[in-house]
């Protein structure tokens, strides 16, 4: 058990993952630690698998797609710590059924930049000074940096709520799936010829447990099932500290925006249970913590981690009987 009292740097996160990996007996193969690819600035995108050898089903979670949402990677690290406690434990657990793959920081370049240069940075750090011959057949060369990874995924790309302007916070990139981070996640989902039961991607903020679609207001055919399981997760989460989450489709609850990792995971990756979880604080201005927005103090890592872990675990339990 580890006490996460601060938001870690990329280097510290890598150290943390190695410590966690070494904490479970290597002979038992309960964890593996590997990179799914590198970023533009050549950082590895580390991934940890946690599960017992008997586990036959697979779950994918990621954090830190958006640089400034510091509570997201912190929550993934918190859950990794708790899951490794659990896998080392002899008691029967969800980890004898599921291998849980966690990518705690999908956008390390953006995260480092937000930590050191510009706290409110959102995108990755790829340059846009050579965007000729792009999807639009016009020039988007610019000195502005970065692509919004959550607008870059190639499913109904650019249909709604995304920008062709490299200076925009929601710049979708010169073409669908143009970014290394996007490609790494997609390759990992596809190459592991294994079946994925669920994909959860953690963002902040607003306290929403949302399901596809984001690209338009339509609902997936199976949205009732997605909604029911989101309810199970969010109710369990609420029982811990009383934190209230709203449930609905991304486009209906937030706004229409195409190119999200969630829409791709469901639409192209064919994963059934796909969610974007927008962590604390609430975006309701009557809420005492709403003003923190992306700058949630690190004292919240513990309560947010604790309640999110319980919510996710209950959600996963509810999957055991379905399928
Ligand atoms: O706009 C986003 O990318 C997400 N919200 S955030 O404040 N963290 O930036 C919401 C994404 C919801 N999913 C889709 N629109 N596909
Ligand atoms: Zn986000």
């Amino acid at each position: 058990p580890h006490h996460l009292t601060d938001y870690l740097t990329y280097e510290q996160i890598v150290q943390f993952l190695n410590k966690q990996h070494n904490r479970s007996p290597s002979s038992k193969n309960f964890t593996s630690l590997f990179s799914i690819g590198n970023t533009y600035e050549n950082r590895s995108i580390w991934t940890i698998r946690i599960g017992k050898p008997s586990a036959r089903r697979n779950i994918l979670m990621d954090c830190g797609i958006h640089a400034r949402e510091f509570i997201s990677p912190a929550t993934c690290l918190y859950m990794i710590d708790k899951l490794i406690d659990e896998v080392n434990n002899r008691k029967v657990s969800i980890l004898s059924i599921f291998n849980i793959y966690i990518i705690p920081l999908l956008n390390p370049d953006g995260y480092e930049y937000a930590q050191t240069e510009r706290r409110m940075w959102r995108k990755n750090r790829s340059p846009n000074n050579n965007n000729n011959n792009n999807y639009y057949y016009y020039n988007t060369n610019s000195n502005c940096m970065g692509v919004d990874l959550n607008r870059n995924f190639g499913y109904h790309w650019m249909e709604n709520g995304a920008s062709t302007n490299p200076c925009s916070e929601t710049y979708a990139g010169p073409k669908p799936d143009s970014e290394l981070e996007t490609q790494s996640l997609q390759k990992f989902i596809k190459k592991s010829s294994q079946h994925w039961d669920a994909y959860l991607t953690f963002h902040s903020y607003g306290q929403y447990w949302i399901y596809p679609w984001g690209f338009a207001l339509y609902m997936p055919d199976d949205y009732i099932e997605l909604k029911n399981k989101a309810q199970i997760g969010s109710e369990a989460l609420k029982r811990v500290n009383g934190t209230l989450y709203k449930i609905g489709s991304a486009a209906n609850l937030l706004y229409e925006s195409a190119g999200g990792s969630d829409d791709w995971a469901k639409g192209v990756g064919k994963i059934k249970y796909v969610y974007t979880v927008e962590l604390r604080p609430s975006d309701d201005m009557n809420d005492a913590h709403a003003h923190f927005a992306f700058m949630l103090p690190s004292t919240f890592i513990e309560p947010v981690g604790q309640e999110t872990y319980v919510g996710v675990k209950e959600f996963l339990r509810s999957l055991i009987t379905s399928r």
Side-chain angles (χ1 to χ4, degrees), residues 139-186:
N139 219 307
T140 56
N141 283 353
S142 167
N143 289 328
C144 290
M145 300 273 285
V147 169
D148 182 351
L149 296 175
N150 223 30
R151 298 293 180 276
N152 187 240
F153 285 78
Y155 185 69
H156 294 266
W157 183 75
M158 269 305 296
E159 285 182 14
N160 265 312
S163 176
T164 55
N165 176 0
C167 298
S168 165
E169 287 284 51
T170 53
Y171 177 47
K175 46 172 80 89
D177 310 320
S178 57
E179 302 309 294
L180 290 172
E181 297 85 350
T182 309
Q183 292 165 13
S184 299
L185 182 64
Q186 295 180 350

Side-chain angles (χ1 to χ4, degrees), residues 12 20 25 66 74 101 107 122 153 160 167 212 229 239 251 274 281:
Q12 290 170 326
Q20 293 290 347
H66 286 141
Y101 291 81
N107 175 16
R122 167 179 168 97
F153 285 78
N160 265 312
C167 298
K229 301 276 189 245
R239 284 194 289 272
V274 167

Side-chain angles (χ1 to χ4, degrees), residues 66 69 122 150-151 203-204 214 250 254-255 257 260 262-263 278:
H66 286 141
E69 300 166 7
R122 167 179 168 97
N150 223 30
R151 298 293 180 276
H203 285 251
S204 74
L254 302 176
Y255 35 76
S257 55
D262 49 2
D263 281 7
E278 298 276 359

Side-chain angles (χ1 to χ4, degrees), residues 20-22 24 29-33 48-51 84 87:
Q20 293 290 347
H21 175 53
N22 293 329
S24 88
N29 196 28
F30 287 168
T31 63
S32 24
L33 181 58
I48 193 162
R49 178 197 57 84
I50 309 168
I84 291 179
V87 81

